[in-house]
Amino acid sequence: MSPRFGELTVGDVVAEATLDLSRDSLVRYAGASGDFNPIHYRDDVAASVGLPGVLAHGMLTMGAAVQPVVEWAGGAAHVVDYQVRFTRPVVVDPATGARLEVSAKVGALDAEKATARIDLTVRYDEATVLGKAQVVVSLESDAS
Amino acid sequence: MSVNPDLAGRSYPATSPYLVGREKVREFARAVLSADPTSHDVEAARAAGFDDVVAPPTFAVVVQEHALAQLLADDDAGIDFSRVVHGDQRFSFTRPIVAGDELTATLTVVSVKTLAGNSMVTADTVVTDPSGAHVVTATSTLVVRGEA
């Protein structure tokens, strides 16, 4: 059952999730996306360019962080616009991985278009990793 | 190598068509931890009004990548890939990407800005179907770190 536009109020938290990324997740994403930059799977290469460790692909963080909103909205087709700024890297430990905490809150409502802007907060290790992370979703208007 | 300041406005030829495969969509959906039935199950996608599985929103990056590769390979653009950090990303959809779509991507550099010794290159990649209809525009800002 998809949410209806009229049920929403700015400030509502519509989804929260914990996402666990492992080195396996990075290898899987590399294969699925075609992004084989070795900083996402080789510790020696990451160290050689001065990184604190192997990093998650920014696009993996972006792609995974929106999924709680996709599921809440009733499917990927409801997303009409999605933007993020990559502000902080996510270091993925070889043994323990990395845990992301996602919270999705209604940031703005457009009654004419029956769209909601959902603002994402994505935290890793007590700090946010995405800035201006905004998803615009189309919802069923109350008239339908 | 430094970023060509006159890059803004430059367009690259449309990429050759990318055929969106059903299993590729499912593979990508698993990779971004999607539990959305419309991305995995054809019947769920059909029930939602689509011909086949619906790609997760960020799948558009796979198509965009082919266009970005042209920009990065252009010596005259002057972008040293080893110094590139992904700054911002945006997807603006007219409709979702669905398995079976044949998509082409055309990249245009929107702006080149310099800030604190770094160059910020923003490019729009317009993704269209075979009729020329707009599907999604993917906008990336690449931060090219200056050579200190």
Side-chain angles (χ1 to χ4, degrees):
Chain A
M1 188 66 195
S2 300
R4 285 178 175 274
F5 181 82
E7 297 167 349
L8 299 177
T9 306
V10 170
D12 288 352
V13 174
V14 297
E16 287 183 299
T18 300
L19 307 174
D20 284 313
L21 299 181
S22 63
R23 289 291 176 89
D24 305 41
S25 316
L26 307 194
V27 172
R28 186 186 283 274
Y29 186 77
S33 67
D35 182 344
F36 291 102
N37 186 333
I39 65 165
H40 303 304
Y41 52 89
R42 277 183 55 178
D43 295 274
D44 59 330
V45 173
S48 76
V49 294
L51 296 171
V54 160
L55 306 183
H57 305 74
M59 289 304 304
L60 169 56
T61 302
M62 183 183 186
V66 76
Q67 289 306 321
V69 175
V70 166
E71 283 150 39
W72 165 76
H78 288 270
V79 173
V80 296
D81 195 287
Y82 180 30
Q83 66 176 313
V84 307
R85 175 160 295 166
F86 300 103
T87 53
R88 188 164 165 265
V90 174
V91 178
V92 181
D93 183 85
T96 58
R99 171 164 285 188
L100 303 178
E101 305 282 352
V102 179
S103 176
K105 194 162 77 172
V106 178
L109 293 165
D110 184 331
E112 202 171 307
K113 296 180 186 163
T115 58
R117 192 191 83 212
I118 308 299
D119 296 343
L120 296 178
T121 303
V122 182
R123 299 177 75 82
Y124 156 72
D125 200 18
E126 308 298 314
T128 59
V129 295
L130 299 178
K132 206 187 176 193
Q134 299 181 342
V135 196
V136 179
V137 294
S138 64
L139 297 167
E140 287 181 60
S141 63
D142 301 294
S144 65
Chain B
M1 186 151 89
S2 60
V3 177
N4 182 342
D6 300 324
L7 199 55
R10 185 174 300 185
S11 288
Y12 293 84
T15 57
S16 56
Y18 178 95
L19 177 59
V20 180
R22 181 186 290 169
E23 300 304 339
K24 191 69 193 176
V25 168
R26 287 173 167 156
E27 180 191 11
F28 190 90
R30 281 193 297 273
V32 293
L33 316 179
S34 168
D36 173 10
T38 69
S39 290
H40 295 279
D41 177 12
V42 179
E43 289 312 313
R46 286 186 181 145
F50 298 95
D51 290 340
D52 210 317
V53 289
V54 180
T58 60
F59 181 81
V61 75
V62 175
V63 184
Q64 177 194 237
E65 202 60 35
H66 294 272
L68 270 179
Q70 294 175 301
L71 172 65
L72 297 172
D74 179 359
D75 284 338
D76 186 59
I79 299 173
D80 176 356
F81 186 57
S82 71
R83 296 186 163 275
V84 169
V85 178
H86 200 171
D88 296 53
Q89 181 68 42
R90 182 172 193 166
F91 301 103
S92 299
F93 292 90
T94 298
R95 68 162 177 87
I97 294 174
V98 175
D101 277 339
E102 214 174 290
L103 302 173
T104 57
T106 307
L107 181 143
T108 302
V109 177
V110 178
S111 66
V112 178
K113 291 174 188 158
T114 305
L115 193 69
N118 298 325
S119 297
M120 260 105 67
V121 180
T122 301
D124 276 349
T125 300
V126 175
V127 177
T128 55
D129 72 12
S131 74
H134 181 262
V135 176
V136 57
T137 295
T139 304
S140 291
T141 299
L142 306 179
V143 180
V144 187
R145 289 178 293 144
E147 296 171 52

